Amino acid sequence: MVNLMISRNKNKGKTIIDWDLNVYCPEQWYGGESYWDHDLWKINARIYREGPGLNPLDTDYTITLLEKEAKAIGLVDWANSSIDSDDSWDDWLDAGLDGFIDLYHFNELYRSKCTDRVLEFLDTLPRYLEDIPDRMMW
């Protein structure tokens, strides 16, 4: 019976994705000058791959956080306190307001602070590499 179930598994042989989140405060340009708006944060999901000839895959799975969402997670406070600092926040987000953290650890640290909208984004990321449309990867 188990062998029959395995042979019917539509996901058999598919590659499980190890998501890596790039959490960053994008650089803004105005009149030839650049600045960072500490209330504006984005999360871009990348596919982490390890091994010879395997590089991370960039995707278009990106969410722009609302100010209240960025504040709830603690990103705005970190940005405001990290000015002229070389420290890192929770050992992954640097003072340059850009960092990478895997999905598992992001959920462990911040899931309880995320809004339903952010949780929906994280929870609906595809589970298998083969399920991602080509238009979403580059």
Side-chain angles (χ1 to χ4, degrees), residues 10-55:
K10 68 178 183 170
N11 297 318
K12 180 181 179 184
K14 288 186 176 182
T15 309
I16 294 179
I17 297 173
D18 183 8
W19 286 106
D20 206 14
L21 304 178
N22 180 12
V23 181
Y24 63 100
C25 179
E27 187 173 9
Q28 306 291 307
W29 290 89
Y30 182 75
E33 301 273 328
S34 70
Y35 69 96
W36 286 265
D37 179 351
H38 294 172
D39 297 331
L40 176 63
W41 287 85
K42 293 186 177 207
I43 298 176
N44 173 249
R46 300 176 74 219
I47 300 168
Y48 180 78
R49 301 186 313 164
E50 192 172 26
L54 294 177
N55 294 318

Side-chain angles (χ1 to χ4, degrees), residues 7-8 20-21 23 36 43 46 50-51 59 74 78 83 101 111 114-115 118 124:
S7 67
R8 289 184 179 177
D20 206 14
L21 304 178
V23 181
W36 286 265
I43 298 176
R46 300 176 74 219
E50 192 172 26
T59 74
W78 164 248
I83 299 171
I101 184 170
R111 187 170 184 83
C114 291
T115 63
V118 175
T124 57

Side-chain angles (χ1 to χ4, degrees), residues 22 24-26 28 37 39-44 60-70 73 75 115 117-118 121:
N22 180 12
Y24 63 100
C25 179
Q28 306 291 307
D37 179 351
D39 297 331
L40 176 63
W41 287 85
K42 293 186 177 207
I43 298 176
N44 173 249
D60 281 336
Y61 292 106
T62 302
I63 184 171
T64 301
L65 300 179
L66 301 173
E67 181 181 348
K68 68 179 182 177
E69 293 167 335
I73 294 170
L75 297 169
T115 63
R117 188 178 82 93
V118 175
F121 168 76

